[in-house]
Amino acid sequence: MSTAVKSPWFLLAGVVVAALSLVVAITGPASEVSKNRTEVKSLVAEPVNSPSVTEFALPLDTPLDQLPQTDAGFFCDTGMIEWLRRFGTEVPPYEQISIRSAAEDGAMLVVDNLRAVDVNRYEPQPVMHFQCPDSGNADTAILELRLDRDRVARELVNGSSDNIRPFAFNLEPGEQGNLELRMWSDDTYSYSGRIVADVTTGTTKGTVSLPLNGEDSTKFDRVGLGKYGRLVVAPGRTKTDFLCELYPAGYSRWRPRDDERAEDSFDCTLEKVRSLLAEIGGTS
């Protein structure tokens, strides 16, 4: 009579095959098992602001007569922006952040409670507001965050400050979205700090820092413009001409009253810019 099992190794091999079959039956094929499951660290965030849409706080004595000529009409080109960065502090009008779930399978990521932390408030120096205008934004979730109040972002419904809701963004595995963060404050002070958000997947929750534009992507620096913020200077038709807007005394960029609207934009020379700054400087 022949033996049923000729070798103990043959028996061991059978046990291994049976175990692997059981694993596949329970978890699926090997390719499915190796997929990246959703975790808090699955969130990938990157700043994506347009480099030509920004603003600067410039010292009042900035030699604007040396500002390079732009070929971009009333907008700023690369050479102009590089020059402005040499003399002033860049203060983008908004921060646009791309967010994505790097997971290939599993639960969705919920991004919410976006807020400013580690905030410092300090006295600003007298500066000029120079603007590189925005020619239009892509569709995105628009958030508003007050640095001088509760410091928690709220989403603008249809882009209106009069219609807000708590912010929350859901990302399925592999899905991507965009956030536009508008940071506001009174112009009396400058503010610096970091932007963080809570990320939840299933029952797991964590807090992540969101990267921003600028030399140091880990933090923001919002320079208060003070009373000189009444004057907004932007590129004009030629190297010696600028486009200006002038707001009334007491103007604040945060929700101006109907009687605090700017005059219509007007052409102004460097001499006119200097004259208006001196006039504003002489007011209380």
Side-chain angles (χ1 to χ4, degrees):
M1 179 182 297
S2 61
T3 59
V5 179
K6 296 182 178 180
S7 168
W9 296 108
F10 182 83
L11 179 60
L12 179 60
V15 172
V16 171
V17 170
L20 289 175
S21 299
L22 180 61
V23 170
V24 171
I26 295 174
T27 64
S31 59
E32 294 294 321
V33 174
S34 63
K35 281 187 175 181
N36 293 326
R37 302 288 179 172
T38 306
E39 302 177 281
V40 169
K41 66 180 181 181
S42 299
L43 182 72
V44 178
E46 297 176 320
V48 291
N49 269 5
S50 167
S52 60
V53 178
T54 190
E55 298 180 0
F56 291 86
L58 301 175
L60 298 183
D61 59 354
T62 299
L64 288 180
D65 56 330
Q66 300 175 20
L67 185 69
Q69 177 67 53
T70 175
D71 296 323
F74 292 99
F75 303 100
C76 298
D77 60 13
T78 302
M80 179 178 286
I81 288 178
E82 290 178 353
W83 188 92
L84 291 166
R85 283 174 176 158
R86 282 175 49 205
F87 286 92
T89 300
E90 188 171 5
V91 190
Y94 56 82
E95 294 283 352
Q96 197 167 47
I97 305 168
S98 170
I99 56 175
R100 176 174 60 87
S101 173
E104 299 172 284
D105 197 8
M108 69 170 58
L109 281 175
V110 180
V111 184
D112 62 3
N113 196 24
L114 190 148
R115 59 202 185 275
V117 297
D118 301 336
V119 176
N120 295 309
R121 187 180 75 172
Y122 58 96
E123 297 282 349
Q125 298 296 316
V127 288
M128 178 197 321
H129 183 186
F130 194 96
Q131 184 179 76
C132 294
D134 191 346
S135 58
N137 299 324
D139 291 336
T140 189
I142 299 177
L143 311 180
E144 204 168 65
L145 187 153
R146 287 297 303 263
L147 294 173
D148 55 345
R149 294 188 181 176
D150 58 3
R151 298 171 181 169
V152 176
R154 292 176 175 83
E155 185 173 355
L156 306 187
V157 181
N158 298 324
S160 172
S161 295
D162 297 323
N163 192 359
I164 61 175
R165 62 189 173 198
F167 163 69
F169 206 114
N170 299 330
L171 292 171
E172 296 286 355
E175 190 176 9
Q176 179 172 330
N178 288 301
L179 308 178
E180 180 181 302
L181 176 61
R182 301 176 180 178
M183 288 184 280
W184 296 92
S185 66
D186 62 274
D187 281 332
T188 308
Y189 297 96
S190 297
Y191 295 84
S192 63
R194 297 186 299 117
I195 298 297
V196 302
D198 291 338
V199 180
T200 306
T201 176
T203 59
T204 304
K205 183 176 182 178
T207 299
V208 300
S209 292
L210 296 179
L212 306 174
N213 282 271
E215 295 182 5
D216 187 349
S217 64
T218 64
K219 65 180 184 179
F220 64 83
D221 192 4
R222 306 298 295 180
V223 177
L225 298 172
K227 60 184 179 182
Y228 293 99
R230 290 176 50 200
L231 177 65
V232 181
V233 184
R237 293 183 176 85
T238 68
K239 182 176 181 179
T240 57
D241 289 316
F242 300 92
L243 196 64
C244 291
E245 290 182 334
L246 184 64
Y247 290 84
Y251 163 75
S252 171
R253 283 185 298 170
W254 174 249
R255 293 197 179 187
R257 301 188 307 268
D258 289 340
D259 61 348
E260 288 182 340
R261 302 299 179 185
E263 299 177 4
D264 291 336
S265 298
F266 56 92
D267 294 327
C268 53
T269 63
L270 177 58
E271 290 72 22
K272 181 64 174 178
V273 172
R274 298 287 187 217
S275 173
L276 289 172
L277 289 172
E279 180 182 330
I280 293 171
T283 62
S284 57

